[in-house]
Structures are given as C-alpha cells and as structure tokens.
Amino acid sequence: MKKLLISFFSVIITIFTISAINANTLAYNQTGWQEKDGKWYYYSQYGEMYNSGKYEINGRYYIFDENGILKDTTGWYREIDEWYVGDKKITNVIWYFITEDGSLATRWRQVGKNWYYFDNEGKMLHGETIKTEDNRVYIFDENGAMISKTGWYKVIKNKDNKSKVVWYYLKGDGTVTTGWKQEGRTWYYFDESGEMADKPTKIYSDYYHYKIYCFNSSGAWINFTGWYKTTEIAGKETIISWYYLDEGIARTGWWLKGNIRYYFDENGKMADKPTIVYEDIYYGRDAKIAFFDKSGAHYAYNGWYADTKKYNDGTSEINWYYLENGYGVTGLKNIGGINYYFRYDGVMCADDIVYVDGTTYCFNKSGAQVKQGWFRHLAKYQYNEIEDYIEEQWYYIAKGGEFYKGFHTINGITYYFDPDCRKDGIK
C-alpha cells in the first residue's frame, strides 16, 4: 500500500511538472504575430507582448493599446503628447494614418481629395515644407493637406513666443519655388526650404564661398551701389546695421574708402564697435580685435577704451578694453603693475573668477586682480527660461595667492571653505 501511494504521488508530481514545462515553453514560443478572439497581438523573441505605444516590426510601424491589442482600424489616429517646461504645460498633437494591413502610412498617402505626407515613423507633417526623394520641396497646411495653389502664399510661424511671417511662391502642383525668381522688374530669392528672403542673405556658390545679397522686408532684391541700412528690434536693443553694396552685393572684410578703413563681417555688417576681425574672412583665420567708431571708421589707439551699450529700457552696459597698436589684448595682462584679464573678445573681466593654466585668479569690480583677502563673487545660474538665480559666494585668498580650503581661522573666527574654496559657514 505504501509503495502504491508513493507511485501515485510521483505520477501526480510528474504530470504537474510536465504541465508547467509545457506552459513555460508555450509562453516562450509565443513570438511574433498572434491572433486571439479576432484581435492581433505581437510578442518579441523573448515572449514579451508589445503594448502601450508604437513599435517597429520588420521596417513598418504599428500602434498597440495598453492591453497589447493592435490598433488596426483603417483611418486617422490621434496621439496627444504632453510635457512641462517649468510650470508651463506643452501639448503636441500627432496624427497618423492606419493602413489596411494595420501598419502606419509613411511618405505619400491620398485621403479623399487631399495628399498627405508622413515621415518614416508615420507622423503626419503639417504647416511646413519637406524635400522629398525627387529633390522637390512640397508645402502642407496646418491640417497636413498638400497645398496645390499657384502664386504667393503666407504662413505665420511661431517660435520662442514670437510670430514671424514667411512667404512662399507656389507652383500649383504642391511644390514651392526655390532659388531666384523674377516678377516684372523685381528679383526674389527663396532658400532651400522655399522661404522668401527678406533681409541680407548669404547665397552660396559652393561649400565655403558665398555672396551676400540684400533684400527688403517685401523680399525685393536691393540692386544698387551704395550704403544700405537695416533696423531690427531684438529684445531690449534696437540694432541698426549698415552694409555697402556693389550692384546689390554686400562687401565683406576690410575696405579702404579714401583714407578711412572699414570692416564688414561675414554677414556683410559694417563694424561700429570693438569687433573680432579676420584677415581671411571665409575661413576665419588670423583673428584680431579691432576698434571702430559709430561711423564705422577704424582707428589705431593705445590704452584703455570704454564701449557703452545703451538699451531701449534706459539701462546701459559698459565694457572695458585695452588696446595696443590699435588692437585689443586678450588673456592675462599686467598694466601699471596690476594684473587684469581680457576675454577672447577683448572685454575685461570684472567681479569674476578666471582659471588660467591651472591657476585661479580673482578680479574685483574694477578688473584688478585680488591677491590677498576676502573676495565676494556673485555667481549667476539659470533658474528657468526667464529668470536667473544669483548666489553670493565668498573666498579668501592668502598671501602668495593660495585659496583657502577646509577650516581656517581669520581674525579670531574659524571658517570652513569647501573643496571649491567657497566659504561654507562659521565653526
């Protein structure tokens, strides 16, 4: 009897073991497409079911719900993508088109009377242009439909909370004009995405070489010889730029007119303040910091120079430079027995900390190096897209220029300085 019971339980255990092995094998072997109750599912090579998102399978994209069921109803499908920038909620709506086999449409697709274009992952393009495989540029409205009109077409684009009017010229087959176009006696230029040029613009002849053509706000090419002025509002600044045109093409580099030397940067703008200049403007070689007055005249000057920038809100900013033979110095410079530091653009550092060849230097509000004693530094950090966070930091420089770290007693009071030499409380 005892032997019979043992045999019976052995059989039961064996059956359960085989059943478990078969179940695990079945789960693991359940890969690829699987149909259950008229619904389609997909399992990876490890038996993991795809769910809650978009997946690539054999070069095509498919969408599965949270239960792993393939969304295979032919037609439009909307996905809402949301995220936060600080406290601001950003919502982005993405449209797809599910084809007859359940995959997402890519590239061209006609729905009703309209043509649409979808990227390689199935996202519908809208309110933009796209250069397709045939090297033509097509344009689509905000609803994604290709625009088949002929003539001028206006789009208002929003970027960084600013609106910009962009003009295109449509050919009637959904494509836009690129390059030069003449209407009557007026020439216009459209870049590689079809946007009309409405300001001084670089037009390249090869990878490195270009010419700068000036266009007014209406897009017309300014084809004459002489001075040309543009005005732009940028934040709290009003920026006035001067160009000199030779039959509609702006000068670049140095130019001697009479006994006055002018310099025009790589964008054709005349220099009217301390400016980094290049002897070889195309390749950006042999850079120096040259000085120009408000009329653009270059002058050779030695000594200190203050450049004042005034803003529309009534505030101003002063940058100091030091010139030798008419050009600004850079790096560490001893002037009258005092060390100063000038950045790459020639501006003197003030109330700042600079690291030079492994050595730390502190400079006060006047720009002079602090060689001993307390140094107060206001460090600025970006808090969000609008505000900055300013932190007050204190350092102590011992005789010989050494920065204190750890615990140190100064005038009977013990302070702690962190590994970055910043004061971090009193003991």
Side-chain angles (χ1 to χ4, degrees):
M1 183 66 180
K2 187 175 181 182
K3 290 182 180 180
L4 287 174
L5 285 174
I6 293 173
S7 299
F8 174 76
F9 282 116
S10 298
V11 170
I12 295 298
I13 292 171
T14 301
I15 291 172
F16 276 111
T17 302
I18 293 172
S19 299
I21 292 172
N22 287 339
N24 290 334
T25 303
L26 178 62
Y28 186 80
N29 288 336
Q30 197 170 14
T31 61
W33 289 105
Q34 301 290 331
E35 184 183 12
K36 299 177 184 177
D37 301 325
K39 305 294 184 182
W40 283 97
Y41 303 80
Y42 191 87
Y43 295 83
S44 73
Q45 60 178 326
Y46 305 108
E48 297 171 343
M49 182 180 70
Y50 286 0
N51 64 85
S52 301
K54 181 175 64 175
Y55 295 85
E56 181 184 6
I57 302 172
N58 298 325
R60 304 299 300 272
Y61 281 85
Y62 301 83
I63 296 176
F64 299 87
D65 69 12
E66 63 275 9
N67 297 313
I69 300 172
L70 171 70
K71 292 186 176 295
D72 57 359
T73 301
T74 302
W76 291 103
Y77 177 77
R78 184 182 68 172
E79 180 181 279
I80 298 177
D81 191 14
E82 295 179 338
W83 67 92
Y84 285 85
V85 177
D87 297 329
K88 185 178 180 181
K89 184 178 180 180
I90 307 297
T91 301
N92 183 36
V93 178
I94 302 172
W95 283 96
Y96 301 92
F97 191 89
I98 300 174
T99 65
E100 293 76 6
D101 65 0
S103 66
L104 300 182
T106 57
R107 301 188 179 180
W108 290 106
R109 179 83 182 189
Q110 186 177 17
V111 182
K113 295 181 179 180
N114 295 320
W115 282 94
Y116 300 84
Y117 193 86
F118 303 84
D119 69 13
N120 291 333
E121 294 186 8
K123 293 181 181 179
M124 183 195 75
L125 301 183
H126 61 95
E128 59 186 305
T129 57
I130 181 70
K131 181 179 285 189
T132 56
E133 299 78 15
D134 57 2
N135 209 32
R136 304 170 75 191
V137 180
Y138 293 82
I139 189 167
F140 305 87
D141 65 20
E142 285 299 322
N143 296 317
M146 185 184 75
I147 304 169
S148 299
K149 299 178 180 179
T150 300
W152 290 100
Y153 183 75
K154 181 175 72 172
V155 174
I156 298 178
K157 294 189 175 183
N158 296 306
K159 184 179 181 181
D160 300 329
N161 296 321
K162 295 180 181 179
S163 296
K164 178 186 177 184
V165 176
V166 177
W167 284 94
Y168 300 87
Y169 195 89
L170 311 187
K171 296 180 179 181
D173 60 354
T175 63
V176 300
T177 300
T178 58
W180 288 99
K181 178 175 178 58
Q182 185 178 19
E183 274 205 332
R185 296 183 178 181
T186 304
W187 281 94
Y188 300 87
Y189 183 80
F190 302 86
D191 68 15
E192 61 181 9
S193 67
E195 292 188 13
M196 181 195 75
D198 59 1
K199 60 184 178 181
T201 301
K202 293 179 180 178
I203 299 178
Y204 283 81
S205 58
D206 57 39
Y207 186 79
Y208 291 105
H209 298 92
Y210 58 86
K211 291 181 180 179
I212 299 168
Y213 294 79
C214 288
F215 303 87
N216 64 21
S217 58
S218 299
W221 175 33
I222 309 300
N223 186 8
F224 74 94
T225 297
W227 290 99
Y228 177 70
K229 181 178 77 170
T230 63
T231 302
E232 177 186 1
I233 304 297
K236 59 181 182 178
E237 287 188 79
T238 298
I239 301 174
I240 296 176
S241 301
W242 283 95
Y243 303 81
Y244 192 86
L245 309 182
D246 290 313
E247 297 182 353
I249 300 174
R251 285 184 172 271
T252 58
W254 288 102
W255 181 48
L256 180 64
K257 182 174 175 62
N259 60 351
I260 300 176
R261 293 185 77 203
Y262 297 90
Y263 183 84
F264 301 89
D265 69 14
E266 62 175 5
N267 298 306
K269 294 181 180 181
M270 180 195 76
D272 59 0
K273 59 186 177 181
T275 302
I276 297 177
V277 302
Y278 301 92
E279 295 303 323
D280 187 343
I281 196 166
Y282 281 118
Y283 298 99
R285 296 171 180 164
D286 302 324
K288 294 181 180 179
I289 302 165
F291 289 76
F292 305 85
D293 63 24
K294 296 303 178 184
S295 69
H298 173 243
Y299 58 94
Y301 181 81
N302 290 319
W304 287 101
Y305 176 83
D307 179 61
T308 303
K309 182 183 292 185
K310 295 182 179 180
Y311 300 104
N312 295 333
D313 60 3
T315 60
S316 61
E317 177 184 1
I318 299 177
N319 289 321
W320 283 93
Y321 302 80
Y322 192 81
L323 287 70
E324 291 181 345
N325 300 319
Y327 293 98
V329 301
T330 58
L332 197 63
K333 181 71 176 178
N334 188 280
I335 303 171
I338 299 174
N339 283 335
Y340 298 87
Y341 187 84
F342 300 87
R343 299 189 320 223
Y344 74 96
D345 57 359
V347 176
M348 180 194 74
C349 285
D351 189 23
D352 205 356
I353 299 174
V354 178
Y355 304 94
V356 182
D357 298 330
T359 302
T360 304
Y361 296 86
C362 293
F363 301 91
N364 61 24
K365 291 182 178 180
S366 300
Q369 180 189 359
V370 179
K371 294 185 176 181
Q372 186 176 1
W374 286 104
F375 176 72
R376 174 177 175 265
H377 176 56
L378 297 178
K380 182 183 290 187
Y381 304 96
Q382 187 172 5
Y383 178 69
N384 53 39
E385 291 183 338
I386 301 174
E387 301 176 282
D388 289 328
Y389 169 69
I390 297 178
E391 179 184 69
E392 183 183 64
Q393 299 173 348
W394 284 92
Y395 301 80
Y396 192 84
I397 306 164
K399 188 176 182 179
E402 178 188 359
F403 281 73
Y404 276 173
K405 294 181 183 180
F407 289 102
H408 287 274
T409 301
I410 304 170
N411 296 328
I413 301 175
T414 300
Y415 301 88
Y416 176 75
F417 299 85
D418 68 16
D420 293 321
C421 307
R422 293 171 297 198
K423 180 174 74 69
D424 192 26
I426 301 173
K427 183 177 180 182

